[in-house]
Amino acid sequence: DGRPVPIGKKLKTLSSTSRSSGEDKENSTLGSSNVPDTIKANELGEESSRTVRLPPIFVENVHRGSRDGPVDKESGTVPILFVAMRSCVPREPVLQASKNNSLILIIHERACSKYQETSSHGSALIVLDIELFLNLPDLITISKAFPSPSSLSPERRTFEIWCIQRWFVVREVAELQNLNAFMYLDSDVLLYENSKSLHSALHVLGLWQSDEPSIACADRRGHTSLWNRPGISLFCEYLLNNWATMPIATNDQWLLRVFSMELQHKGICWVRGMHCNNVSLHVIDLPIDPLDNARVANLSELVDHSFRSNLSRLLEKGAHPLVANLNIRILDNWSGYEVMNLSRIPVGDLDLDAPISTVFWCKGLPYFYFLETEEFVRSMTIHLQGPMKNHLWSYAKDVAFDCVCTSISCEKSVSLEKYRARMAVVDPSQASAMDSFCKPWSTLPDQTSPPLSTAVEP
């Protein structure tokens, strides 16, 4: 599209696309990788000869790109997964995630733009054709089971089906590559965190169990989520054994929430039947503000704010709480964070009230001012929904100076010093918080890519 790529110079290509047959004549062996490259799809009583076979070059590149350790080991690489069923994964979320993560797996249509470069930080961007998975019996089961209420348009019904089906694609990739743990991101989520660091922190805190189903997700929704193989396998079992037998027309994000709360309340045997090993399901509800919940033991447990705020502070090694997700979308009425002083903003043909959260950039990382506790928090991800998807590029660029966004697209900013001077007049408590706000965060590398041009007031 003519815009500069924010990840620096192009390095050696480490990208693979697959033929629909799943064969690659130029790469007929797995080389040094001992990861199995084929798995028989679960037939669920249906006749099917479909076998998912990953191209050897894909398997080899995953092996080569796992510079933080083997993907099947507890202390190894925690890859990032993007999946698009009938669309393309945008470049911006992929390139943003590559700044701090060593391995990015992109599964979408073969006709999409190719990611034929590694990032300036050496991350491997590896592409796989979604066509390999579209005939899986489980995907067909979900498509047949999804109801057709009159209130749901055919287009919306198809979209919701795709959203549920993608988890079976994720499960197949995790099983085929024997992934110990991985992070899944929606294609409108920008990640400013290292997934391995998050995985390690949850493990040290005793919240993550590698040999039992474990899931960490923002607000119990999958758009920003960390999984192990037992976790994604159990969720897919629930979709097939429980939801598909008595389906309701709903989105997959709500289904993940219901699944996690029901199983923590009823136990895993509710899904797997009487003759099962009833191990625990570990769900870590990643905080979306400093008062948000860490996990809920059952459906009736009362909210404990003192416990809920602790996870946000325990995850951050710096001076400020870490929240997992900041959801920025035009139609939000209140986010809990300071918003830009914007009354009405035209979006296409619409003219909407638009309280957009104010982004404070420090050392290339996004912070937000939480009104209830009067403190700055660092966000692990920014989720740009609806019309805000048009501004992915602006929030994914490398910001080489400390500043505050003053426009919806974050293309205009003011210096922290000037913004503090303004706050000293209208909100002295926030001005005081800004005195110690911008400090380097010890576990992330410095942003070394050349900055993009942004209009900044002196």
Side-chain angles (χ1 to χ4, degrees), residues 312-348:
S312 181
R313 301 174 195 285
L314 289 172
L315 288 175
E316 172 63 280
K317 298 179 181 179
H320 308 283
L322 175 69
V323 296
N325 178 69
L326 188 81
N327 199 342
I328 302 181
R329 56 180 177 177
I330 293 293
L331 298 179
D332 275 348
N333 293 320
W334 181 80
S335 67
Y337 296 91
E338 178 186 315
V339 298
M340 299 179 191
N341 186 23
L342 304 171
S343 55
R344 303 189 74 82
I345 297 178
V347 181

PDB file of all heavy atoms in Angstrom, residues 312-348:
ATOM      1  N   SER A 312      -3.084  -8.012  38.367  1.00  0.00           N
ATOM      2  CA  SER A 312      -2.651  -6.905  37.523  1.00  0.00           C
ATOM      3  C   SER A 312      -1.312  -6.350  37.986  1.00  0.00           C
ATOM      4  O   SER A 312      -0.472  -5.982  37.173  1.00  0.00           O
ATOM      5  CB  SER A 312      -3.713  -5.808  37.526  1.00  0.00           C
ATOM      6  OG  SER A 312      -3.327  -4.732  36.705  1.00  0.00           O
ATOM      7  N   ARG A 313      -1.105  -6.331  39.289  1.00  0.00           N
ATOM      8  CA  ARG A 313       0.148  -5.772  39.822  1.00  0.00           C
ATOM      9  C   ARG A 313       1.265  -6.806  39.874  1.00  0.00           C
ATOM     10  O   ARG A 313       2.434  -6.474  39.715  1.00  0.00           O
ATOM     11  CB  ARG A 313      -0.115  -5.181  41.211  1.00  0.00           C
ATOM     12  CG  ARG A 313      -1.175  -4.085  41.157  1.00  0.00           C
ATOM     13  CD  ARG A 313      -1.573  -3.557  42.524  1.00  0.00           C
ATOM     14  NE  ARG A 313      -2.809  -2.803  42.420  1.00  0.00           N
ATOM     15  CZ  ARG A 313      -2.898  -1.578  41.913  1.00  0.00           C
ATOM     16  NH1 ARG A 313      -1.823  -0.961  41.476  1.00  0.00           N
ATOM     17  NH2 ARG A 313      -4.049  -0.956  41.844  1.00  0.00           N
ATOM     18  N   LEU A 314       0.904  -8.070  40.065  1.00  0.00           N
ATOM     19  CA  LEU A 314       1.930  -9.112  40.111  1.00  0.00           C
ATOM     20  C   LEU A 314       2.544  -9.379  38.742  1.00  0.00           C
ATOM     21  O   LEU A 314       3.698  -9.772  38.634  1.00  0.00           O
ATOM     22  CB  LEU A 314       1.325 -10.402  40.663  1.00  0.00           C
ATOM     23  CG  LEU A 314       0.987 -10.414  42.155  1.00  0.00           C
ATOM     24  CD1 LEU A 314       0.221 -11.679  42.520  1.00  0.00           C
ATOM     25  CD2 LEU A 314       2.235 -10.282  43.003  1.00  0.00           C
ATOM     26  N   LEU A 315       1.768  -9.180  37.673  1.00  0.00           N
ATOM     27  CA  LEU A 315       2.279  -9.454  36.334  1.00  0.00           C
ATOM     28  C   LEU A 315       3.279  -8.413  35.873  1.00  0.00           C
ATOM     29  O   LEU A 315       4.112  -8.687  35.016  1.00  0.00           O
ATOM     30  CB  LEU A 315       1.110  -9.522  35.334  1.00  0.00           C
ATOM     31  CG  LEU A 315       0.208 -10.739  35.421  1.00  0.00           C
ATOM     32  CD1 LEU A 315      -0.967 -10.592  34.462  1.00  0.00           C
ATOM     33  CD2 LEU A 315       0.982 -12.012  35.103  1.00  0.00           C
ATOM     34  N   GLU A 316       3.180  -7.212  36.382  1.00  0.00           N
ATOM     35  CA  GLU A 316       4.051  -6.118  35.945  1.00  0.00           C
ATOM     36  C   GLU A 316       5.277  -6.026  36.838  1.00  0.00           C
ATOM     37  O   GLU A 316       5.156  -5.980  38.060  1.00  0.00           O
ATOM     38  CB  GLU A 316       3.257  -4.806  35.969  1.00  0.00           C
ATOM     39  CG  GLU A 316       4.096  -3.560  35.718  1.00  0.00           C
ATOM     40  CD  GLU A 316       4.723  -3.537  34.341  1.00  0.00           C
ATOM     41  OE1 GLU A 316       5.762  -4.215  34.163  1.00  0.00           O
ATOM     42  OE2 GLU A 316       4.194  -2.852  33.470  1.00  0.00           O
ATOM     43  N   LYS A 317       6.444  -6.020  36.220  1.00  0.00           N
ATOM     44  CA  LYS A 317       7.684  -5.933  36.976  1.00  0.00           C
ATOM     45  C   LYS A 317       8.141  -4.488  37.169  1.00  0.00           C
ATOM     46  O   LYS A 317       9.132  -4.230  37.816  1.00  0.00           O
ATOM     47  CB  LYS A 317       8.780  -6.731  36.274  1.00  0.00           C
ATOM     48  CG  LYS A 317       8.472  -8.224  36.160  1.00  0.00           C
ATOM     49  CD  LYS A 317       9.575  -8.955  35.443  1.00  0.00           C
ATOM     50  CE  LYS A 317       9.248 -10.442  35.323  1.00  0.00           C
ATOM     51  NZ  LYS A 317      10.313 -11.190  34.592  1.00  0.00           N
ATOM     52  N   GLY A 318       7.433  -3.553  36.560  1.00  0.00           N
ATOM     53  CA  GLY A 318       7.804  -2.154  36.673  1.00  0.00           C
ATOM     54  C   GLY A 318       6.972  -1.439  37.718  1.00  0.00           C
ATOM     55  O   GLY A 318       6.496  -2.021  38.685  1.00  0.00           O
ATOM     56  N   ALA A 319       6.760  -0.156  37.498  1.00  0.00           N
ATOM     57  CA  ALA A 319       6.106   0.682  38.499  1.00  0.00           C
ATOM     58  C   ALA A 319       4.596   0.708  38.374  1.00  0.00           C
ATOM     59  O   ALA A 319       3.923   1.242  39.246  1.00  0.00           O
ATOM     60  CB  ALA A 319       6.660   2.109  38.394  1.00  0.00           C
ATOM     61  N   HIS A 320       4.043   0.144  37.307  1.00  0.00           N
ATOM     62  CA  HIS A 320       2.622   0.296  37.033  1.00  0.00           C
ATOM     63  C   HIS A 320       1.950  -1.050  36.821  1.00  0.00           C
ATOM     64  O   HIS A 320       2.565  -1.989  36.324  1.00  0.00           O
ATOM     65  CB  HIS A 320       2.421   1.175  35.792  1.00  0.00           C
ATOM     66  CG  HIS A 320       3.149   2.474  35.863  1.00  0.00           C
ATOM     67  ND1 HIS A 320       2.705   3.528  36.619  1.00  0.00           N
ATOM     68  CD2 HIS A 320       4.302   2.887  35.289  1.00  0.00           C
ATOM     69  CE1 HIS A 320       3.553   4.537  36.506  1.00  0.00           C
ATOM     70  NE2 HIS A 320       4.523   4.168  35.709  1.00  0.00           N
ATOM     71  N   PRO A 321       0.670  -1.166  37.165  1.00  0.00           N
ATOM     72  CA  PRO A 321      -0.069  -2.420  36.907  1.00  0.00           C
ATOM     73  C   PRO A 321      -0.117  -2.735  35.415  1.00  0.00           C
ATOM     74  O   PRO A 321      -0.109  -1.838  34.572  1.00  0.00           O
ATOM     75  CB  PRO A 321      -1.473  -2.121  37.451  1.00  0.00           C
ATOM     76  CG  PRO A 321      -1.305  -0.962  38.370  1.00  0.00           C
ATOM     77  CD  PRO A 321      -0.165  -0.161  37.822  1.00  0.00           C
ATOM     78  N   LEU A 322      -0.174  -4.029  35.108  1.00  0.00           N
ATOM     79  CA  LEU A 322      -0.295  -4.480  33.723  1.00  0.00           C
ATOM     80  C   LEU A 322      -1.709  -4.984  33.483  1.00  0.00           C
ATOM     81  O   LEU A 322      -2.206  -5.834  34.219  1.00  0.00           O
ATOM     82  CB  LEU A 322       0.699  -5.601  33.440  1.00  0.00           C
ATOM     83  CG  LEU A 322       0.601  -6.254  32.053  1.00  0.00           C
ATOM     84  CD1 LEU A 322       1.045  -5.287  30.969  1.00  0.00           C
ATOM     85  CD2 LEU A 322       1.420  -7.531  31.980  1.00  0.00           C
ATOM     86  N   VAL A 323      -2.386  -4.456  32.471  1.00  0.00           N
ATOM     87  CA  VAL A 323      -3.686  -4.977  32.077  1.00  0.00           C
ATOM     88  C   VAL A 323      -3.528  -5.690  30.744  1.00  0.00           C
ATOM     89  O   VAL A 323      -2.688  -5.328  29.923  1.00  0.00           O
ATOM     90  CB  VAL A 323      -4.745  -3.853  31.981  1.00  0.00           C
ATOM     91  CG1 VAL A 323      -4.974  -3.233  33.356  1.00  0.00           C
ATOM     92  CG2 VAL A 323      -4.362  -2.801  30.973  1.00  0.00           C
ATOM     93  N   ALA A 324      -4.348  -6.706  30.525  1.00  0.00           N
ATOM     94  CA  ALA A 324      -4.155  -7.564  29.358  1.00  0.00           C
ATOM     95  C   ALA A 324      -4.706  -6.950  28.086  1.00  0.00           C
ATOM     96  O   ALA A 324      -4.201  -7.208  27.002  1.00  0.00           O
ATOM     97  CB  ALA A 324      -4.810  -8.925  29.590  1.00  0.00           C
ATOM     98  N   ASN A 325      -5.749  -6.149  28.198  1.00  0.00           N
ATOM     99  CA  ASN A 325      -6.447  -5.731  26.988  1.00  0.00           C
ATOM    100  C   ASN A 325      -7.076  -4.364  27.200  1.00  0.00           C
ATOM    101  O   ASN A 325      -7.696  -4.108  28.231  1.00  0.00           O
ATOM    102  CB  ASN A 325      -7.543  -6.751  26.647  1.00  0.00           C
ATOM    103  CG  ASN A 325      -8.345  -6.350  25.429  1.00  0.00           C
ATOM    104  OD1 ASN A 325      -7.843  -6.365  24.317  1.00  0.00           O
ATOM    105  ND2 ASN A 325      -9.602  -5.981  25.646  1.00  0.00           N
ATOM    106  N   LEU A 326      -6.888  -3.484  26.229  1.00  0.00           N
ATOM    107  CA  LEU A 326      -7.658  -2.252  26.200  1.00  0.00           C
ATOM    108  C   LEU A 326      -8.485  -2.280  24.929  1.00  0.00           C
ATOM    109  O   LEU A 326      -7.937  -2.301  23.832  1.00  0.00           O
ATOM    110  CB  LEU A 326      -6.790  -1.005  26.236  1.00  0.00           C
ATOM    111  CG  LEU A 326      -7.705   0.218  26.396  1.00  0.00           C
ATOM    112  CD1 LEU A 326      -8.116   0.422  27.835  1.00  0.00           C
ATOM    113  CD2 LEU A 326      -7.084   1.461  25.854  1.00  0.00           C
ATOM    114  N   ASN A 327      -9.783  -2.309  25.099  1.00  0.00           N
ATOM    115  CA  ASN A 327     -10.703  -2.426  23.975  1.00  0.00           C
ATOM    116  C   ASN A 327     -11.068  -1.026  23.484  1.00  0.00           C
ATOM    117  O   ASN A 327     -11.749  -0.285  24.187  1.00  0.00           O
ATOM    118  CB  ASN A 327     -11.955  -3.178  24.438  1.00  0.00           C
ATOM    119  CG  ASN A 327     -12.748  -3.742  23.284  1.00  0.00           C
ATOM    120  OD1 ASN A 327     -12.569  -3.325  22.154  1.00  0.00           O
ATOM    121  ND2 ASN A 327     -13.609  -4.685  23.584  1.00  0.00           N
ATOM    122  N   ILE A 328     -10.595  -0.661  22.308  1.00  0.00           N
ATOM    123  CA  ILE A 328     -10.901   0.654  21.746  1.00  0.00           C
ATOM    124  C   ILE A 328     -11.870   0.477  20.589  1.00  0.00           C
ATOM    125  O   ILE A 328     -11.537  -0.122  19.574  1.00  0.00           O
ATOM    126  CB  ILE A 328      -9.637   1.382  21.250  1.00  0.00           C
ATOM    127  CG1 ILE A 328      -8.640   1.544  22.397  1.00  0.00           C
ATOM    128  CG2 ILE A 328     -10.000   2.737  20.668  1.00  0.00           C
ATOM    129  CD1 ILE A 328      -7.386   2.278  22.000  1.00  0.00           C
ATOM    130  N   ARG A 329     -13.074   0.985  20.753  1.00  0.00           N
ATOM    131  CA  ARG A 329     -14.032   0.961  19.661  1.00  0.00           C
ATOM    132  C   ARG A 329     -14.935   2.182  19.771  1.00  0.00           C
ATOM    133  O   ARG A 329     -15.175   2.704  20.851  1.00  0.00           O
ATOM    134  CB  ARG A 329     -14.865  -0.320  19.661  1.00  0.00           C
ATOM    135  CG  ARG A 329     -15.619  -0.603  20.939  1.00  0.00           C
ATOM    136  CD  ARG A 329     -16.401  -1.900  20.825  1.00  0.00           C
ATOM    137  NE  ARG A 329     -17.079  -2.225  22.073  1.00  0.00           N
ATOM    138  CZ  ARG A 329     -17.878  -3.269  22.223  1.00  0.00           C
ATOM    139  NH1 ARG A 329     -18.082  -4.069  21.199  1.00  0.00           N
ATOM    140  NH2 ARG A 329     -18.458  -3.508  23.373  1.00  0.00           N
ATOM    141  N   ILE A 330     -15.442   2.612  18.634  1.00  0.00           N
ATOM    142  CA  ILE A 330     -16.192   3.844  18.568  1.00  0.00           C
ATOM    143  C   ILE A 330     -17.402   3.843  19.494  1.00  0.00           C
ATOM    144  O   ILE A 330     -17.730   4.846  20.110  1.00  0.00           O
ATOM    145  CB  ILE A 330     -16.647   4.109  17.113  1.00  0.00           C
ATOM    146  CG1 ILE A 330     -15.423   4.399  16.234  1.00  0.00           C
ATOM    147  CG2 ILE A 330     -17.628   5.258  17.027  1.00  0.00           C
ATOM    148  CD1 ILE A 330     -14.709   5.687  16.553  1.00  0.00           C
ATOM    149  N   LEU A 331     -18.075   2.704  19.615  1.00  0.00           N
ATOM    150  CA  LEU A 331     -19.362   2.670  20.299  1.00  0.00           C
ATOM    151  C   LEU A 331     -19.251   2.474  21.800  1.00  0.00           C
ATOM    152  O   LEU A 331     -20.264   2.379  22.477  1.00  0.00           O
ATOM    153  CB  LEU A 331     -20.233   1.558  19.691  1.00  0.00           C
ATOM    154  CG  LEU A 331     -20.568   1.728  18.209  1.00  0.00           C
ATOM    155  CD1 LEU A 331     -21.401   0.565  17.709  1.00  0.00           C
ATOM    156  CD2 LEU A 331     -21.306   3.043  17.977  1.00  0.00           C
ATOM    157  N   ASP A 332     -18.057   2.372  22.354  1.00  0.00           N
ATOM    158  CA  ASP A 332     -17.921   2.269  23.803  1.00  0.00           C
ATOM    159  C   ASP A 332     -18.401   3.559  24.459  1.00  0.00           C
ATOM    160  O   ASP A 332     -18.003   4.656  24.061  1.00  0.00           O
ATOM    161  CB  ASP A 332     -16.455   2.028  24.193  1.00  0.00           C
ATOM    162  CG  ASP A 332     -16.093   0.561  24.147  1.00  0.00           C
ATOM    163  OD1 ASP A 332     -17.011  -0.260  24.033  1.00  0.00           O
ATOM    164  OD2 ASP A 332     -14.900   0.247  24.213  1.00  0.00           O
ATOM    165  N   ASN A 333     -19.236   3.420  25.476  1.00  0.00           N
ATOM    166  CA  ASN A 333     -19.703   4.600  26.192  1.00  0.00           C
ATOM    167  C   ASN A 333     -18.778   4.974  27.339  1.00  0.00           C
ATOM    168  O   ASN A 333     -18.643   6.137  27.697  1.00  0.00           O
ATOM    169  CB  ASN A 333     -21.119   4.357  26.730  1.00  0.00           C
ATOM    170  CG  ASN A 333     -22.130   4.239  25.615  1.00  0.00           C
ATOM    171  OD1 ASN A 333     -22.069   4.975  24.641  1.00  0.00           O
ATOM    172  ND2 ASN A 333     -23.070   3.300  25.753  1.00  0.00           N
ATOM    173  N   TRP A 334     -18.157   3.950  27.951  1.00  0.00           N
ATOM    174  CA  TRP A 334     -17.244   4.215  29.061  1.00  0.00           C
ATOM    175  C   TRP A 334     -16.253   3.074  29.150  1.00  0.00           C
ATOM    176  O   TRP A 334     -16.633   1.899  29.128  1.00  0.00           O
ATOM    177  CB  TRP A 334     -18.023   4.322  30.371  1.00  0.00           C
ATOM    178  CG  TRP A 334     -17.148   4.617  31.546  1.00  0.00           C
ATOM    179  CD1 TRP A 334     -16.652   5.825  31.921  1.00  0.00           C
ATOM    180  CD2 TRP A 334     -16.650   3.678  32.506  1.00  0.00           C
ATOM    181  NE1 TRP A 334     -15.887   5.695  33.047  1.00  0.00           N
ATOM    182  CE2 TRP A 334     -15.870   4.393  33.434  1.00  0.00           C
ATOM    183  CE3 TRP A 334     -16.792   2.297  32.668  1.00  0.00           C
ATOM    184  CZ2 TRP A 334     -15.229   3.795  34.507  1.00  0.00           C
ATOM    185  CZ3 TRP A 334     -16.149   1.691  33.740  1.00  0.00           C
ATOM    186  CH2 TRP A 334     -15.386   2.438  34.653  1.00  0.00           C
ATOM    187  N   SER A 335     -14.998   3.412  29.225  1.00  0.00           N
ATOM    188  CA  SER A 335     -13.974   2.376  29.277  1.00  0.00           C
ATOM    189  C   SER A 335     -13.298   2.297  30.629  1.00  0.00           C
ATOM    190  O   SER A 335     -12.554   1.361  30.904  1.00  0.00           O
ATOM    191  CB  SER A 335     -12.905   2.643  28.209  1.00  0.00           C
ATOM    192  OG  SER A 335     -12.180   3.830  28.531  1.00  0.00           O
ATOM    193  N   GLY A 336     -13.530   3.268  31.491  1.00  0.00           N
ATOM    194  CA  GLY A 336     -12.842   3.305  32.774  1.00  0.00           C
ATOM    195  C   GLY A 336     -11.555   4.084  32.728  1.00  0.00           C
ATOM    196  O   GLY A 336     -10.948   4.367  33.759  1.00  0.00           O
ATOM    197  N   TYR A 337     -11.123   4.445  31.518  1.00  0.00           N
ATOM    198  CA  TYR A 337      -9.877   5.181  31.344  1.00  0.00           C
ATOM    199  C   TYR A 337     -10.157   6.593  30.834  1.00  0.00           C
ATOM    200  O   TYR A 337     -11.224   6.878  30.285  1.00  0.00           O
ATOM    201  CB  TYR A 337      -8.965   4.443  30.361  1.00  0.00           C
ATOM    202  CG  TYR A 337      -8.519   3.090  30.862  1.00  0.00           C
ATOM    203  CD1 TYR A 337      -9.249   1.936  30.584  1.00  0.00           C
ATOM    204  CD2 TYR A 337      -7.375   2.966  31.640  1.00  0.00           C
ATOM    205  CE1 TYR A 337      -8.849   0.695  31.057  1.00  0.00           C
ATOM    206  CE2 TYR A 337      -6.969   1.729  32.115  1.00  0.00           C
ATOM    207  CZ  TYR A 337      -7.709   0.600  31.829  1.00  0.00           C
ATOM    208  OH  TYR A 337      -7.320  -0.615  32.314  1.00  0.00           O
ATOM    209  N   GLU A 338      -9.185   7.443  31.021  1.00  0.00           N
ATOM    210  CA  GLU A 338      -9.331   8.797  30.488  1.00  0.00           C
ATOM    211  C   GLU A 338      -9.529   8.731  28.977  1.00  0.00           C
ATOM    212  O   GLU A 338      -8.869   7.966  28.279  1.00  0.00           O
ATOM    213  CB  GLU A 338      -8.099   9.636  30.799  1.00  0.00           C
ATOM    214  CG  GLU A 338      -8.185  11.038  30.226  1.00  0.00           C
ATOM    215  CD  GLU A 338      -6.893  11.818  30.408  1.00  0.00           C
ATOM    216  OE1 GLU A 338      -6.332  11.762  31.506  1.00  0.00           O
ATOM    217  OE2 GLU A 338      -6.461  12.473  29.446  1.00  0.00           O
ATOM    218  N   VAL A 339     -10.428   9.556  28.483  1.00  0.00           N
ATOM    219  CA  VAL A 339     -10.697   9.597  27.050  1.00  0.00           C
ATOM    220  C   VAL A 339     -10.315  10.959  26.509  1.00  0.00           C
ATOM    221  O   VAL A 339     -10.184  11.946  27.239  1.00  0.00           O
ATOM    222  CB  VAL A 339     -12.187   9.310  26.745  1.00  0.00           C
ATOM    223  CG1 VAL A 339     -12.551   7.911  27.221  1.00  0.00           C
ATOM    224  CG2 VAL A 339     -13.089  10.354  27.394  1.00  0.00           C
ATOM    225  N   MET A 340     -10.112  10.996  25.195  1.00  0.00           N
ATOM    226  CA  MET A 340      -9.808  12.249  24.538  1.00  0.00           C
ATOM    227  C   MET A 340     -11.003  13.192  24.643  1.00  0.00           C
ATOM    228  O   MET A 340     -12.155  12.764  24.717  1.00  0.00           O
ATOM    229  CB  MET A 340      -9.476  12.011  23.058  1.00  0.00           C
ATOM    230  CG  MET A 340      -8.276  11.126  22.835  1.00  0.00           C
ATOM    231  SD  MET A 340      -7.963  10.882  21.071  1.00  0.00           S
ATOM    232  CE  MET A 340      -6.747   9.572  21.147  1.00  0.00           C
ATOM    233  N   ASN A 341     -10.740  14.470  24.633  1.00  0.00           N
ATOM    234  CA  ASN A 341     -11.796  15.473  24.722  1.00  0.00           C
ATOM    235  C   ASN A 341     -12.437  15.646  23.348  1.00  0.00           C
ATOM    236  O   ASN A 341     -12.247  16.649  22.673  1.00  0.00           O
ATOM    237  CB  ASN A 341     -11.216  16.802  25.219  1.00  0.00           C
ATOM    238  CG  ASN A 341     -12.306  17.820  25.469  1.00  0.00           C
ATOM    239  OD1 ASN A 341     -13.456  17.452  25.692  1.00  0.00           O
ATOM    240  ND2 ASN A 341     -11.954  19.088  25.442  1.00  0.00           N
ATOM    241  N   LEU A 342     -13.192  14.616  22.939  1.00  0.00           N
ATOM    242  CA  LEU A 342     -13.823  14.615  21.622  1.00  0.00           C
ATOM    243  C   LEU A 342     -15.330  14.506  21.813  1.00  0.00           C
ATOM    244  O   LEU A 342     -15.806  13.610  22.504  1.00  0.00           O
ATOM    245  CB  LEU A 342     -13.322  13.438  20.781  1.00  0.00           C
ATOM    246  CG  LEU A 342     -11.803  13.355  20.583  1.00  0.00           C
ATOM    247  CD1 LEU A 342     -11.438  12.040  19.927  1.00  0.00           C
ATOM    248  CD2 LEU A 342     -11.316  14.511  19.749  1.00  0.00           C
ATOM    249  N   SER A 343     -16.076  15.398  21.213  1.00  0.00           N
ATOM    250  CA  SER A 343     -17.528  15.360  21.364  1.00  0.00           C
ATOM    251  C   SER A 343     -18.163  14.468  20.308  1.00  0.00           C
ATOM    252  O   SER A 343     -18.829  13.491  20.616  1.00  0.00           O
ATOM    253  CB  SER A 343     -18.108  16.767  21.293  1.00  0.00           C
ATOM    254  OG  SER A 343     -17.694  17.412  20.089  1.00  0.00           O
ATOM    255  N   ARG A 344     -17.977  14.775  19.035  1.00  0.00           N
ATOM    256  CA  ARG A 344     -18.535  13.950  17.967  1.00  0.00           C
ATOM    257  C   ARG A 344     -17.492  13.779  16.877  1.00  0.00           C
ATOM    258  O   ARG A 344     -16.804  14.719  16.495  1.00  0.00           O
ATOM    259  CB  ARG A 344     -19.813  14.568  17.394  1.00  0.00           C
ATOM    260  CG  ARG A 344     -20.900  14.800  18.426  1.00  0.00           C
ATOM    261  CD  ARG A 344     -22.197  15.203  17.769  1.00  0.00           C
ATOM    262  NE  ARG A 344     -22.843  14.085  17.106  1.00  0.00           N
ATOM    263  CZ  ARG A 344     -23.596  13.185  17.736  1.00  0.00           C
ATOM    264  NH1 ARG A 344     -23.768  13.250  19.032  1.00  0.00           N
ATOM    265  NH2 ARG A 344     -24.167  12.208  17.064  1.00  0.00           N
ATOM    266  N   ILE A 345     -17.387  12.542  16.373  1.00  0.00           N
ATOM    267  CA  ILE A 345     -16.391  12.237  15.338  1.00  0.00           C
ATOM    268  C   ILE A 345     -17.095  11.570  14.173  1.00  0.00           C
ATOM    269  O   ILE A 345     -17.800  10.576  14.352  1.00  0.00           O
ATOM    270  CB  ILE A 345     -15.299  11.295  15.882  1.00  0.00           C
ATOM    271  CG1 ILE A 345     -14.530  11.982  17.004  1.00  0.00           C
ATOM    272  CG2 ILE A 345     -14.345  10.865  14.786  1.00  0.00           C
ATOM    273  CD1 ILE A 345     -13.484  11.107  17.622  1.00  0.00           C
ATOM    274  N   PRO A 346     -16.949  12.088  12.945  1.00  0.00           N
ATOM    275  CA  PRO A 346     -17.536  11.404  11.795  1.00  0.00           C
ATOM    276  C   PRO A 346     -16.747  10.139  11.473  1.00  0.00           C
ATOM    277  O   PRO A 346     -15.525  10.164  11.389  1.00  0.00           O
ATOM    278  CB  PRO A 346     -17.436  12.433  10.676  1.00  0.00           C
ATOM    279  CG  PRO A 346     -16.282  13.305  11.075  1.00  0.00           C
ATOM    280  CD  PRO A 346     -16.277  13.336  12.572  1.00  0.00           C
ATOM    281  N   VAL A 347     -17.449   9.035  11.299  1.00  0.00           N
ATOM    282  CA  VAL A 347     -16.829   7.770  10.913  1.00  0.00           C
ATOM    283  C   VAL A 347     -17.570   7.277   9.684  1.00  0.00           C
ATOM    284  O   VAL A 347     -18.666   6.751   9.772  1.00  0.00           O
ATOM    285  CB  VAL A 347     -16.911   6.728  12.047  1.00  0.00           C
ATOM    286  CG1 VAL A 347     -16.238   5.434  11.613  1.00  0.00           C
ATOM    287  CG2 VAL A 347     -16.271   7.263  13.310  1.00  0.00           C
ATOM    288  N   GLY A 348     -16.972   7.460   8.510  1.00  0.00           N
ATOM    289  CA  GLY A 348     -17.671   7.136   7.274  1.00  0.00           C
ATOM    290  C   GLY A 348     -18.882   8.036   7.125  1.00  0.00           C
ATOM    291  O   GLY A 348     -18.789   9.264   7.183  1.00  0.00           O
TER     292      GLY A 348
END
